[in-house]
Amino acid sequence: MQYMPVTSSMFLIAETREQPMHVGGLQLFVPRAGQTAEELADEWQAAFTSGCEVSEVFRRRPAQPFSLVGSLAWSVDDDIDIHYHVRRIALPKPGRIRELFHYVSLNHSTLLDRSRPMWEAHLIEGLADGRLALYTKIHHSLVDGVSALRLLERTLSTDPEDRTGTTPWDTRLFTKKTAATVEIDGLAPAPPDEAPEQRTDAETGGLFDELRKSIGAVADVAGQVAGMVPAVGHVAWKAARDHDFISPGYFAPRSMFDVPIGSARRFAANHWSISRLRAVAEALDVTLNDVVLAMCSSALRGYMIDNGTLPSEPLIAMVPVSMHVGGEDDGNAVSAVMANLATNDPDPAARLQTLVASMRASKNVIRGLRPLQALALGAATIAPLAFMSIPGFVNYTPPQFNLVISNIPGPTQQLYWNGARLDGVYPVSIPTSGNALNITLTSTADQMGFGLIGARAQLPSLQRLLDHLEDGLVELEAIAQRTDQPS
Amino acid sequence: MQYMPVTSSMFLIAETREQPMHVGGLQLFVPRAGQTAEELADEWQAAFTSGCEVSEVFRRRPAQPFSLVGSLAWSVDDDIDIHYHVRRIALPKPGRIRELFHYVSLNHSTLLDRSRPMWEAHLIEGLADGRLALYTKIHHSLVDGVSALRLLERTLSTDPEDRTGTTPWDTRLFTKKTAATVEIDGLAPAPPDEAPEQRTDAETGGLFDELRKSIGAVADVAGQVAGMVPAVGHVAWKAARDHDFISPGYFAPRSMFDVPIGSARRFAANHWSISRLRAVAEALDVTLNDVVLAMCSSALRGYMIDNGTLPSEPLIAMVPVSMHVGGEDDGNAVSAVMANLATNDPDPAARLQTLVASMRASKNVIRGLRPLQALALGAATIAPLAFMSIPGFVNYTPPQFNLVISNIPGPTQQLYWNGARLDGVYPVSIPTSGNALNITLTSTADQMGFGLIGARAQLPSLQRLLDHLEDGLVELEAIAQRTDQPS
């Protein structure tokens, strides 16, 4: 029996029926020439049920008895009931994206079975546009959202002729050593004078540790908080001189997003061409991440105006950032910053300015910190998440941020599964009590996919946020246009 | 705010993620001549989303804050998010009954959202045989399984030309007074000298009470237990003289069915022609209910032999029975008996004899009781159900029965929804920790439908029970044949 590190068990402990703690991903594939979506689904299902050796991460479940106190341990199943984990379904006509999102909404709402390895893969046929969808769902105690997307991507190939497509749980994938080093917006903190805390094999389990290392990505911040909280006293608060910097002690305004939630979810997603986003970023001399945050800011403002709930103070977003500090043995250093979304400002140009200033201030603070201090700052920033499942906490405690906006770097090359082209990836993350909306983004070679997941009863017509995101980008393009004009 | 009677709240309190407390029903319909299943689904979906006035039972949800102590209350929603409650989906090819059962298995495994009225209706297309399936799921705190099936049947018509098909939640259905009086095997206890306890409107809510009365059916026994437990001391144990009578103090053997369970379910169902069952019953001078219990006995024996888990002692089934005692104002009197399934006996004829003797003995005991005493006996019989969700209870306490077998009388006439013929009804009930399998039966005009629902991990290849049920009937037919021969 392997004892679980607290960074895993906290997701089991914090989970309630209103707040399932699984992350998901929706991928869309265009079948290869001459192949129907149904044929592609047949091929995929055959791979899924081929009886390949299932890696340990996909065979772990919480050992019985599960209790809220004491240590939690993993138990590893020898047999997997693959027909339970892998599901195939068809959308009803007319098979629009709307029907697909509805299916994902409903299936993201339900808890995973704790008496078996906590993951599911859904092959979804019936899209009128001929594509095949793959929705996957995995418990956050097993892997974080970033790692889950990486696992899916590792089954894909850059070669459209490659026909060796396998499954994310194929043990053969786990023997490859990849050393992806990913950064968001090139955050590069001061060189370390103390090594980031190393988790030992005993704490994390060998394969899991290997997985974490081999993926080497921006880890989901929430997954790291619990072990970091004790270090919070060491944060160099002196660094926080900047007026635009929002420190963890700041209270965000009350909004429609920091409310207790039910278990039902609403999912909406769309993508925007990266070249469009990059053109704006270059014209305005901001980062790609600033552009997507500004789109979110504009969209949230529009959505709250629609609902008559716009607060007079600006919304604050918590944004996880990576701080990759060296070689592949350094582990993952992650922090989080608070972004002032300036949603109270009707002027898009002024909003962008406030937002960019707050992001830059936060990043300057982090750059001035030692890595462990930066981690601790991140931990303090997201610490409230750990208390969200305590009844009454959300009602009686002012929020420190209103939502999480997370940008996960994706593959930069076109990818294929047995020749079927990956045409879109949309993360499906975790709303919580107090954070009724989560926006997570990830990219493919040429697109930025926005995945919006919200508490269904609390966030009516969430899909309108998509229109407002487009409006937000159009606003930014107009500002970029004016900036390019000779003045 | 309406306070909930304990007969409702107990299902919310006993519910865990491993033991969801909703009941379900699967109905199959043959579209009318010239109509496809998809067109029928369109028609049904239009009725479902037509915006008819939704009756109060379908708008109730547990009021916040929900707590394990103190009184629970209902809150009544004014608006219903009908696109959440009503779902439409298609089975993947080849669209066999197997794919349908898999869909029901997966969807019966998941908890209902407590922050909205706790019911769902799934329209399922894609069956290769051209039929349309309707799977419904409703929380046991709202209605019991019998009432749920009755609600569905009330939307149907005996007239194939009727095109006024509506939804179970249409308030117009609730103004009709129907006085269905249903009995199983004509159990008629001694006339009452004290009226069965009446629930007041304040306790149960007016419409709910009206619903209960207007349905007037054999209520699910478990729904009645909690209020009855205090009366258990009054049971006339003196009546229990019969050697074949299994009293509530009896301990059943340990079996593969009385184990702790996970949340995943496995559903299997099939139907047998009532004329086949009736021929056996008449030839052997037993009741129809005895025949189906004998089929279950044989099937369980075969299934346990397959799994190498046959106990040397006979399995004991708890069988709810109705005791309708008078006019429609008498409420529902319900009891339960223990049936000795004689699964340890290899001889089918001897098994039948033991089973019938134990059923007759139990019924004789009940006939000798006053109605309130009979209710109390029923309560004592099923009392252990109330303790099943206590951790460790199942592991350390010998079972009093191994499974529940429930026979719910169905309609005796052919029924239609907008001309689509009801071709099969299969109940989907509740396995619990300690009762990993539940068998619930119900009939249409000419068929007896068996719905088997079990804990997935604990009951492998549950669908083999269906073959064993057929084998059991063939055995009984052979005995009937021999009996009919002149000797």
Side-chain angles (χ1 to χ4, degrees):
Chain A
M1 195 146 18
Q2 300 164 343
Y3 284 94
M4 241 179 255
V6 67
T7 45
S8 296
S9 63
M10 64 177 289
F11 293 108
L12 293 164
I13 293 166
E15 186 168 66
T16 63
R17 62 190 291 159
E18 286 76 27
Q19 189 172 290
M21 283 288 173
H22 49 254
V23 292
L26 177 65
Q27 295 178 305
L28 286 163
F29 289 88
V30 177
R32 59 179 184 262
Q35 189 186 43
T36 65
E38 196 185 318
E39 286 160 357
L40 175 58
D42 285 342
E43 209 168 295
W44 223 312
Q45 195 171 19
F48 277 161
T49 55
S50 69
C52 75
E53 205 182 330
V54 178
S55 80
E56 195 191 302
V57 170
F58 288 89
R59 290 188 287 122
R60 281 193 187 164
R61 60 176 172 79
Q64 293 295 333
F66 176 82
S67 82
L68 291 188
V69 292
S71 299
L72 299 187
W74 290 119
S75 179
V76 180
D77 281 357
D78 290 332
D79 282 325
I80 295 294
D81 176 0
I82 205 78
H83 296 283
Y84 179 83
H85 295 279
V86 173
R87 302 165 180 204
R88 187 167 168 183
I89 200 74
L91 299 173
K93 286 190 180 161
R96 294 164 298 187
I97 289 293
R98 181 176 166 171
E99 276 78 32
L100 176 63
F101 289 171
H102 191 51
Y103 181 84
V104 172
S105 302
L106 297 176
N107 282 278
H108 208 67
S109 304
T110 60
L111 293 165
L112 287 159
D113 184 3
R114 285 195 176 185
S115 64
R116 59 183 71 235
M118 298 171 78
W119 58 273
E120 297 168 6
H122 301 232
L123 282 168
I124 307 163
E125 303 168 42
L127 278 170
D129 62 21
R131 291 184 292 178
L132 181 73
L134 177 62
Y135 162 67
T136 48
K137 177 174 168 182
I138 187 164
H139 202 267
H140 206 325
S141 60
L142 286 172
V143 290
D144 57 58
V146 175
S147 307
L149 281 175
R150 290 290 170 280
L151 281 171
L152 290 168
E153 281 159 17
R154 279 156 59 95
T155 66
L156 307 179
S157 166
T158 52
D159 177 6
E161 301 308 318
D162 186 333
R163 294 292 180 274
T164 63
T166 181
T167 73
W169 51 88
D170 189 335
T171 44
R172 286 168 295 181
L173 283 177
F174 288 75
T175 56
K176 289 188 208 165
K177 274 270 182 196
T178 60
T181 59
V182 214
E183 296 178 33
I184 292 182
D185 294 341
L187 257 187
D193 62 355
E194 36 191 332
E197 239 175 284
Q198 288 290 316
R199 279 163 307 182
T200 66
D201 256 28
E203 279 174 322
T204 58
L207 251 172
F208 188 52
D209 207 46
E210 188 194 325
L211 171 66
R212 288 243 185 207
K213 275 190 211 147
S214 67
I215 287 170
V218 185
D220 181 315
V221 176
Q224 308 288 333
V225 63
M228 291 293 122
V229 168
V232 70
H234 303 292
V235 170
W237 295 115
K238 289 170 292 186
R241 289 278 179 252
D242 193 318
H243 171 79
D244 295 312
F245 171 65
I246 297 175
S247 77
Y250 183 87
F251 288 124
R254 288 279 179 195
S255 75
M256 65 186 294
F257 303 113
D258 27 276
V259 292
I261 63 173
S263 67
R265 299 284 169 266
R266 201 185 296 274
F267 175 67
N270 207 349
H271 57 260
W272 279 265
S273 116
I274 287 182
S275 58
R276 245 183 108 185
L277 304 180
R278 199 175 296 285
V280 170
E282 284 168 7
L284 298 176
D285 193 25
V286 297
T287 67
L288 207 60
N289 203 41
D290 291 333
V291 174
V292 297
L293 286 174
M295 287 171 67
C296 292
S297 155
S298 176
L300 290 164
R301 177 180 160 85
Y303 179 73
M304 290 188 291
I305 289 173
D306 290 349
N307 284 281
T309 60
L310 182 71
S312 57
E313 299 289 305
L315 287 200
I316 305 298
M318 190 270 271
V319 183
V321 293
S322 76
M323 303 167 25
H324 195 77
V325 289
E328 61 178 294
D329 288 331
D330 282 341
N332 301 306
V334 175
S335 192
V337 299
M338 298 290 203
N340 180 343
L341 295 182
T343 43
N344 56 334
D345 197 329
D347 174 18
R351 264 205 312 273
L352 177 67
Q353 208 159 29
T354 305
L355 168 68
V356 169
S358 92
M359 286 298 287
R360 283 185 184 159
S362 288
K363 285 186 245 174
N364 279 334
V365 169
I366 290 181
R367 278 196 194 90
L369 296 177
R370 305 279 180 228
L372 192 58
Q373 292 169 332
L375 286 172
L377 174 61
T381 303
I382 67 152
L385 277 184
F387 301 103
M388 292 298 185
S389 62
I390 299 170
F393 183 88
V394 170
N395 284 329
Y396 304 116
T397 317
Q400 298 207 359
F401 51 86
N402 303 98
L403 78 161
V404 177
I405 303 178
S406 191
N407 185 349
I408 302 174
T412 51
Q413 287 180 281
Q414 189 57 64
L415 294 176
Y416 301 85
W417 190 89
N418 276 10
R421 183 168 57 80
L422 176 65
D423 191 43
V425 184
Y426 309 99
V428 194
S429 193
I430 305 178
T432 60
S433 205
N435 285 277
L437 174 66
N438 175 296
I439 302 181
T440 301
L441 303 87
T442 195
S443 48
T444 57
D446 50 4
Q447 293 172 353
M448 181 69 82
F450 284 62
L452 318 177
I453 181 88
R456 187 176 183 93
Q458 287 71 32
L459 302 182
S461 305
L462 186 63
Q463 65 282 3
R464 286 203 202 139
L465 260 175
L466 297 176
D467 297 332
H468 288 302
L469 281 169
E470 169 65 20
D471 296 345
L473 181 53
V474 169
E475 279 172 2
L476 293 168
E477 286 172 330
I479 301 168
Q481 189 91 27
R482 288 201 300 273
T483 310
D484 279 350
Q485 305 291 320
S487 56
Chain B
M1 197 150 10
Q2 300 164 345
Y3 283 95
M4 239 180 255
V6 67
T7 44
S8 296
S9 63
M10 64 178 290
F11 293 108
L12 292 165
I13 293 167
E15 185 169 68
T16 63
R17 63 190 291 159
E18 286 77 27
Q19 187 173 289
M21 284 287 173
H22 49 254
V23 292
L26 177 65
Q27 295 179 304
L28 286 163
F29 290 87
V30 177
R32 58 178 186 262
Q35 188 187 44
T36 66
E38 195 185 320
E39 286 160 355
L40 175 59
D42 285 342
E43 211 168 283
W44 222 311
Q45 195 171 18
F48 278 161
T49 55
S50 69
C52 75
E53 205 182 329
V54 177
S55 79
E56 194 190 303
V57 169
F58 289 89
R59 290 187 289 121
R60 281 194 188 164
R61 59 176 173 79
Q64 294 295 334
F66 177 83
S67 81
L68 291 187
V69 291
S71 300
L72 299 187
W74 290 119
S75 185
V76 180
D77 281 357
D78 290 332
D79 283 324
I80 295 296
D81 176 0
I82 205 78
H83 296 284
Y84 179 83
H85 295 279
V86 173
R87 302 167 179 204
R88 188 168 168 181
I89 200 74
L91 300 174
K93 287 189 181 162
R96 295 163 298 185
I97 289 294
R98 181 175 167 174
E99 276 78 32
L100 176 63
F101 289 171
H102 191 51
Y103 181 84
V104 171
S105 303
L106 297 176
N107 282 278
H108 207 67
S109 304
T110 58
L111 293 166
L112 288 159
D113 184 3
R114 285 195 176 183
S115 64
R116 58 182 71 236
M118 298 171 78
W119 58 273
E120 296 169 6
H122 301 232
L123 282 168
I124 309 162
E125 303 167 43
L127 278 170
D129 63 21
R131 291 184 293 179
L132 181 73
L134 176 62
Y135 162 67
T136 48
K137 178 174 169 182
I138 186 164
H139 202 268
H140 206 326
S141 60
L142 286 172
V143 290
D144 57 56
V146 176
S147 307
L149 282 175
R150 290 290 169 282
L151 281 171
L152 290 168
E153 282 158 17
R154 279 156 58 95
T155 66
L156 307 179
S157 166
T158 52
D159 177 6
E161 301 308 318
D162 186 333
R163 294 291 179 275
T164 63
T166 180
T167 73
W169 52 87
D170 188 335
T171 43
R172 285 168 297 180
L173 283 177
F174 288 76
T175 56
K176 289 188 209 165
K177 274 272 182 195
T178 60
T181 60
V182 214
E183 297 177 32
I184 291 182
D185 294 343
L187 257 188
D193 63 354
E194 37 190 331
E197 239 176 286
Q198 289 289 316
R199 278 164 308 182
T200 65
D201 255 28
E203 280 174 323
T204 58
L207 251 173
F208 188 53
D209 206 45
E210 188 193 324
L211 170 67
R212 288 245 185 208
K213 275 190 209 147
S214 68
I215 286 169
V218 185
D220 181 312
V221 176
Q224 308 288 332
V225 62
M228 292 294 121
V229 168
V232 69
H234 303 293
V235 170
W237 294 116
K238 290 171 292 186
R241 290 278 179 251
D242 192 319
H243 171 79
D244 294 313
F245 172 65
I246 297 175
S247 77
Y250 183 89
F251 287 125
R254 287 279 180 194
S255 76
M256 65 186 294
F257 304 112
D258 26 275
V259 292
I261 63 174
S263 68
R265 298 285 170 267
R266 201 184 295 273
F267 176 67
N270 207 348
H271 58 261
W272 279 265
S273 116
I274 287 183
S275 59
R276 246 182 107 186
L277 305 180
R278 199 175 296 283
V280 170
E282 283 168 8
L284 298 176
D285 193 24
V286 297
T287 67
L288 207 60
N289 203 42
D290 291 334
V291 174
V292 297
L293 285 173
M295 287 170 68
C296 292
S297 155
S298 176
L300 290 164
R301 177 179 159 84
Y303 179 73
M304 289 188 293
I305 290 174
D306 289 350
N307 286 281
T309 61
L310 183 69
S312 57
E313 298 290 305
L315 287 201
I316 306 298
M318 190 270 273
V319 182
V321 293
S322 75
M323 302 168 25
H324 195 75
V325 291
E328 62 178 296
D329 287 332
D330 282 340
N332 301 304
V334 175
S335 191
V337 299
M338 298 291 203
N340 180 342
L341 295 182
T343 43
N344 55 336
D345 197 328
D347 175 16
R351 264 206 312 272
L352 178 67
Q353 208 160 30
T354 306
L355 168 68
V356 169
S358 92
M359 285 299 286
R360 282 184 184 159
S362 288
K363 285 187 249 175
N364 279 334
V365 169
I366 290 181
R367 278 194 194 93
L369 297 178
R370 306 277 179 229
L372 192 59
Q373 292 169 332
L375 287 172
L377 174 61
T381 303
I382 67 153
L385 278 184
F387 302 104
M388 293 299 187
S389 62
I390 299 170
F393 183 89
V394 169
N395 283 329
Y396 303 117
T397 316
Q400 298 207 1
F401 51 85
N402 303 97
L403 78 160
V404 177
I405 304 178
S406 190
N407 185 349
I408 302 174
T412 51
Q413 287 179 282
Q414 190 57 65
L415 294 176
Y416 301 86
W417 190 89
N418 277 9
R421 183 167 57 80
L422 176 64
D423 192 43
V425 183
Y426 309 99
V428 194
S429 192
I430 305 178
T432 59
S433 206
N435 285 278
L437 175 65
N438 174 296
I439 302 181
T440 300
L441 303 87
T442 196
S443 48
T444 57
D446 50 5
Q447 293 172 353
M448 180 69 81
F450 285 62
L452 318 177
I453 181 87
R456 187 177 183 93
Q458 286 70 32
L459 302 182
S461 304
L462 186 63
Q463 65 282 4
R464 284 203 204 139
L465 260 176
L466 297 175
D467 298 331
H468 288 302
L469 281 169
E470 169 65 19
D471 297 344
L473 181 53
V474 169
E475 279 171 3
L476 293 169
E477 286 172 330
I479 300 168
Q481 189 91 29
R482 288 201 300 274
T483 311
D484 280 350
Q485 305 290 321
S487 57

